[in-house]
C-alpha cells in the first residue's frame, strides 16, 4: 500500500530544509510570490488559516515539528523563486510556473513609505496597467475549475522587465495592497497584476474574506491616525454575483432599501452599515473591540461609484487595469473612500488627525487629547463666513433676507472679461487669443498658507495684521487700478463700491498694492472676526497632492525642468497616451478642487429646511473660512502675475476665469507673448511655463475675431478658449 505523500512536498515538489524562519513580512511575501493562499499553507501544515495569518503578522510563532515543516516550505519557495528570477529567458517559463515570482516588486502601499509621505519610484510605472489588462477575458470565458490559479500572481508582458523591489519591507498585514477589483468569477485583481481567489458568494462572506484572508489595506499616514480600511471594487458581474441590482431604483437616496435581502444578510451576520446605507460607496463594520477596527469599504461600479467627472472612463477599464489605476491613486494620495471630494477631505484628516493618546496623570492610564496643528473639533463660522442656510445666519436675519457685501464674505474665483471698448489699437492688430492656465491653482494657494484652527473672535476697530487669519470689514473702493485689469477684490472683477468683508489674503494684497504703487488709500477695517490660534494646516495635504500630481505628469511624459518648447510639445499629447495615468491625473485634480469645496459643503436633500443644521456641520473640517482663504490666495496670486506682465511688458488680459487668463498675441503659442529677460529666462514674478503647481500650461488658442465676437456678445472667452466649456474651480 502506497504511503501518503508529505503535504509539504506536494506543494514544493523539492527543496532543502532550513532551520530558521524569515521575518514575518518575508513569510507573507514568499507565500504570495509563489501563488499560495493562507488556507493552502494551513491545510498542508494541519493548522488553521488564522494561525498562518498570525505567523505572517508576527503575532505568534510555530513550534516543534510544525515550525520545521513551515521552515522547509518557505525555504523551498525562496529557492524556486530565486531560480525563476535568475532564468535568462523568464518569459519562456511554462504557464503553470508561479507567475508571481516578481510580486515583491509590486508596491502595495508600503507602510513605511506612506507614513512618511515619501513615494516609491516604482509607483510611477503605470505602464504595467496596459500589459496586465491584455491577459483579461470576461468571466464567462475563463476557466473556473481546480486547475485555475487560486492566489495572487503577477502577469508581465513579454519584453517588459519587472519594476525593482522596494527597499522598504511592506506591512505584512497589507501585503496585497490597499484594494482589489472583484470580477464575477471570484477573481480579485490587486495592483501590479496580483490576483486573489475570492470564494465569497454573499456580502457578509466577502467582508469576512477581506478582513481574514485578503491582506488588503494601507498603513496610516500619520502616527496618530488610523490605517486605511481595505477597499473592494465590485464590477457589474461581481455585483450580480452577490445579488445586487444592476442599478438603484431609488434615485433620490441612491441606496438599497432597508428591507433588501442583501441589507438583511449584513444585519443578520452581525455587521452594520453607516448612515449613508448601502449605496455606490459602502462601509460595512463592527464596533471596535479590543482596539481592533473591523471595517471594509465597497465601491459598486454599476451604480456610478467612480464619477466620470473625476475618473473619466476608468469604470470602463478591465479589472486588472482598473486595479492598477486605483492602486496608483491609493499609493500616491489615499485609498479611495467615496467621491474625489470626499477623498480630498479624508486626506486632510489622515495627514492631520484631530486626536492622539495622551497620558492621564490622574488615572495613570491614557486618554484622548488634541493633535497640535490639527482641526480638533467643530466650530461655528463667523456670521459673514456662513452660507445663507446656516443656523448662524437664520438667527441674525429674517427668512428671505438677501445679504449685502457688508454682511457676507464673498471670496470666489475670478469670472471676468474686459469691456471690448477698452481694447487698444495695438491689441486689435493681434492675430490670436491665447489662454494660459495655472496648474492646480488651489493647491498652489494652499502651500504655506496660515489658516485659523479654532473659533473666531469678534473685534471692533481692529488694526489689520496680515499674519492673523480671519475676515475683515473694510472699504477698498478707494484703490484705483487700470480698468484693463480685473479688480482683485471681487470675483466679477468690477471694483468694490463700499465696505465689504474680505479674507486676510485679499486685505494683505490691498496693502501691498498701496505700498508698491503709491496709491492714496489706507487699510482701516471697522470690524473683524479673527482666529488667534492658527497654523499651516494644509501643508501636508499640499505636499502629498503636489508630489502625486508631478509623478503622474511624469508618467505621461511631462517632467520637471523641461525646456519651455519641449514642455508645450509634451503637453499637446499627454492625454492621448496610456488611459491609466490620465484617469489618475483627473482624479488628483478633482481631489484638490473637491477637497477645498467640501470645506463649505452645503445641505442636500429635498427634506432640508433652511436654518436647520446639517450633518456636515458636525465635522471639524467644515471650515468655510479656510476655503475662503485658499480661494482668496489663488485669486491674489493670479492678479499679482497679471500686474507684473502689465507693468513690465504692457500686456493685459482680455478675460479671466478662475485660473485661466486669455491674452492677445501675434502667434498661437504662449511663447509668442509671455515676456522673458534678455538672457531668455521667464520674467521673474510673471507667468512661467512648467509642470509644477502654480506654473502655467497652454489652455487653448482661437483667432482674434472669435475673441472679439465673444466679448461683444457678453461671453467670457476664457470659458471657451479650448473649444469646449471650461468649468470654474471650486465647489
Amino acid at each position: 500500500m502506497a504511503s501518503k505523500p508529505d503535504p509539504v512536498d506536494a506543494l514544493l515538489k523539492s527543496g532543502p530544509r532550513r532551520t530558521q524562519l524569515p521575518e514575518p513580512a518575508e513569510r507573507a511575501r514568499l507565500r504570495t510570490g509563489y501563488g499560495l493562499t493562507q488556507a493552502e499553507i494551513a491545510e498542508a501544515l494541519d493548522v488553521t488559516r488564522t494561525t498562518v495569518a498570525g505567523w505572517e503578522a508576527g503575532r505568534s510563532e510555530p513550534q516543534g515539528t510544525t515550525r520545521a515543516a513551515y521552515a522547509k516550505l518557505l525555504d523551498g519557495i525562496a529557492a524556486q523563486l530565486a531560480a525563476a528570477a535568475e532564468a535568462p529567458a523568464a518569459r519562456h517559463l511554462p504557464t503553470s510556473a508561479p507567475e508571481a515570482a516578481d510580486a515583491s516588486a509590486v508596491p502595495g502601499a508600503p507602510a513605511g513609505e506612506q507614513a512618511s509621505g515619501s513615494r516609491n519610484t516604482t509607483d510611477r510605472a503605470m505602464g504595467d496597467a496596459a500589459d496586465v489588462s491584455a491577459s483579461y477575458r470576461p468571466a464567462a470565458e475563463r476557466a473556473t475549475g481546480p486547475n485555475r490559479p487560486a492566489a495572487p500572481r503577477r502577469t508581465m508582458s513579454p519584453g517588459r522587465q519587472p519594476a525593482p523591489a522596494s527597499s522598504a519591507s511592506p506591512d505584512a498585514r497589507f501585503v496585497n495592497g490597499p484594494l482589489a477589483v472583484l470580477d464575477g468569477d471570484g477573481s480579485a485583481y490587486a495592483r501590479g497584476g496580483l490576483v486573489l481567489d475570492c470564494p465569497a458568494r454573499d456580502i457578509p462572506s466577502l467582508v469576512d474574506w477581506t478582513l481574514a484572508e485578503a491582506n488588503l489595506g494601507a498603513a496610516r499616514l500619520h502616527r496618530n491616525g488610523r490605517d486605511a480600511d481595505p477597499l473592494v471594487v465590485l464590477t457589474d458581474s461581481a455585483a450580480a454575483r452577490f445579488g445586487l441590482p444592476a442599478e438603484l431604483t431609488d434615485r433620490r437616496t441612491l441606496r438599497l432599501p432597508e428591507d433588501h435581502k442583501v441589507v438583511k444578510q449584513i444585519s443578520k451576520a452581525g455587521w452594520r452599515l453607516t448612515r449613508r446605507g448601502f449605496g455606490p460607496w459602502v462601509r460595512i463594520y463592527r464596533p471596535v473591540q479590543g482596539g481592533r477596527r473591523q471595517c471594509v469599504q465597497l465601491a459598486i461600479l454599476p451604480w456610478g461609484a467612480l464619477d466620470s467627472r473625476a475618473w473619466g472612463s476608468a469604470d470602463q477599464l478591465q479589472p486588472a487595469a482598473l486595479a492598477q489605476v486605483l492602486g496608483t491613486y491609493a499609493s500616491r494620495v489615499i485609498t479611495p473612500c467615496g467621491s474625489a471630494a470626499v477623498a480630498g477631505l479624508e486626506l486632510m484628516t489622515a495627514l492631520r488627525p484631530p486626536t492622539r493618546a495622551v497620558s492621564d496623570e490622574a488615572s495613570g492610564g491614557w486618554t484622548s487629547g488634541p493633535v497640535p496643528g490639527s482641526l480638533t473639533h467643530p466650530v461655528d463660522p463667523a456670521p459673514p463666513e456662513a452660507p445663507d442656510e446656516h443656523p448662524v445666519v437664520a438667527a441674525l436675519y429674517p427668512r428671505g433676507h438677501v445679504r449685502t457685501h457688508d454682511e457676507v464674505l464673498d471670496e470666489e474665483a475670478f469670472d471676468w472679461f474686459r469691456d471690448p471698448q477698452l481694447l487698444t489699437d495695438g491689441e486689435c492688430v493681434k492675430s490670436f487669443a491665447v489662454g494660459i492656465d495655472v496648474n492646480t491653482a488651489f493647491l498652489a494657494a494652499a502651500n504655506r498658507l496660515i489658516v485659523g484652527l479654532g473659533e473666531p473672535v469678534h473685534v471692533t476697530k481692529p488694526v489689520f495684521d496680515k499674519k492673523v487669519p480671519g475676515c475683515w470689514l473694510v472699504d477698498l473702493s478707494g484703490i484705483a487700478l487700470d480698468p484693463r485689469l480685473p479688480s482683485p477684490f471681487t470675483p466679477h472683477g468690477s471694483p468694490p463700491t463700499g465696505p465689504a468683508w474680505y479674507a486676510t489674503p485679499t486685505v494683505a494684497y490691498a496693502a501691498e498694492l498701496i505700498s508698491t504703487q503709491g496709491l492714496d488709500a489706507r487699510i482701516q477695517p471697522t470690524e473683524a472676526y479673527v482666529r488667534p490660534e492658527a497654523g499651516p494646516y494644509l501643508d501636508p495635504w499640499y505636499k502629498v497632492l503636489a508630489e502625486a500630481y508631478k509623478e503622474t505628469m511624469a508618467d505621461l511624459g511631462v517632467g520637471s525642468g523641461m525646456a519651455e518648447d519641449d514642455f508645450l510639445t509634451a503637453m499637446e499629447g499627454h492625454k492621448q497616451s496610456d488611459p491609466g495615468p490620465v484617469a489618475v491625473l483627473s482624479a488628483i485634480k478633482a481631489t484638490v478642487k473637491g477637497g477645498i469645496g467640501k470645506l463649505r459643503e452645503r445641505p442636500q436633500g429635498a427634506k432640508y429646511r433652511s436654518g436647520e443644521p446639517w450633518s456636515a456641520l458636525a465635522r471639524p473640517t467644515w471650515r468655510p473660512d479656510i476655503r475662503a482663504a485658499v480661494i482668496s490666495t489663488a485669486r491674489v496670486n493670479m492678479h499679482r502675475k497679471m500686474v507684473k506682465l502689465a507693468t513690465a511688458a504692457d500686456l493685459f488680459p482680455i478675460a479671466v476665469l478662475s485660473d485661466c487668463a486669455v491674452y492677445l498675441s501675434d502667434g498661437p503659442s504662449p511663447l509668442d507673448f509671455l515676456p522673458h529677460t534678455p538672457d531668455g529666462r521667464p520674467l521673474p514674478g510673471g507667468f512661467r511655463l512648467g509642470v509644477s503647481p502654480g506654473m502655467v500650461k497652454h489652455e487653448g488658442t482661437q483667432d482674434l475675431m472669435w475673441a472679439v465676437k465673444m466679448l461683444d456678445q457678453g461671453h467670457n472667452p476664457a470659458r471657451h478658449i479650448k473649444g469646449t466649456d471650461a468649468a470654474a474651480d471650486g465647489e
Side-chain angles (χ1 to χ4, degrees), residues 349-368:
T349 302
L351 293 168
R352 287 197 185 273
T355 60
R356 59 175 176 170
V358 295
S359 177
D360 185 354
E361 296 182 0
S363 65
W366 295 88
T367 187
S368 179

Side-chain angles (χ1 to χ4, degrees), residues 639-664:
H639 194 271
R640 185 180 287 111
K641 290 180 171 62
M642 291 189 290
V643 168
K644 187 67 177 180
L645 263 64
T647 56
D650 198 33
L651 287 171
F652 294 84
I654 63 166
V656 184
L657 179 71
S658 187
D659 48 13
C660 174
V662 177
Y663 284 85
L664 299 181

Side-chain angles (χ1 to χ4, degrees), residues 105 107 120-131 154 160-164 191-192 324 328 332 551 555 578 581:
N120 190 327
T121 55
T122 59
D123 288 346
R124 297 170 61 173
M126 282 290 297
D128 287 347
D131 301 316
R154 179 159 188 180
R160 181 182 290 276
Q161 297 299 317
R191 186 159 179 243
Q324 187 75 6
T328 298
R332 294 180 182 176
E551 285 186 14
D555 291 340
D578 191 335

Side-chain angles (χ1 to χ4, degrees), residues 158-348:
R160 181 182 290 276
Q161 297 299 317
S166 168
S167 58
S169 297
D171 191 320
R173 299 170 300 162
F174 314 127
V175 70
N176 292 328
L179 55 88
V181 179
L182 184 62
D183 205 1
D185 67 347
S187 297
Y189 293 83
R191 186 159 179 243
L194 296 175
V195 184
L196 307 171
D197 192 48
C198 175
R201 290 288 178 178
D202 55 47
I203 294 297
S205 298
L206 173 62
V207 174
D208 289 333
W209 172 83
T210 303
L211 294 173
E213 289 191 50
N215 289 331
L216 296 175
R220 64 195 66 190
L221 299 180
H222 188 284
R223 63 182 180 180
N224 294 314
R226 62 173 177 82
D227 298 329
D229 297 321
L231 169 65
V232 179
V233 181
L234 303 187
T235 62
D236 294 39
S237 58
R241 172 188 176 116
F242 295 120
L244 298 175
E247 63 180 19
L248 291 171
T249 56
D250 188 342
R251 305 308 300 170
R252 183 178 63 84
T253 63
L254 290 177
R255 65 183 63 180
L256 288 180
E258 293 184 2
D259 60 354
H260 192 278
K261 65 177 183 179
V262 171
V263 177
K264 290 182 177 180
Q265 288 173 351
I266 293 170
S267 178
K268 185 177 180 180
W271 294 99
R272 300 183 184 180
L273 297 173
T274 60
R275 285 187 300 175
R276 66 183 177 184
F278 201 110
W281 287 91
V282 193
R283 283 188 186 270
I284 304 174
Y285 73 99
R286 282 183 179 140
V288 175
Q289 294 181 350
R292 182 188 176 204
R293 181 179 173 87
Q294 298 182 79
C295 184
V296 172
Q297 297 184 95
L298 302 181
I300 319 299
L301 290 184
W303 297 353
L306 297 182
D307 191 329
S308 60
R309 292 171 295 182
W311 292 96
S313 58
D315 61 348
Q316 301 301 312
L317 294 173
Q318 295 173 343
L322 178 58
Q324 187 75 6
V325 167
L326 297 177
T328 298
Y329 177 89
S331 66
R332 294 180 182 176
V333 183
I334 194 172
T335 302
C337 49
S339 67
V342 170
L345 208 62
E346 286 288 322
L347 181 62
M348 294 180 195

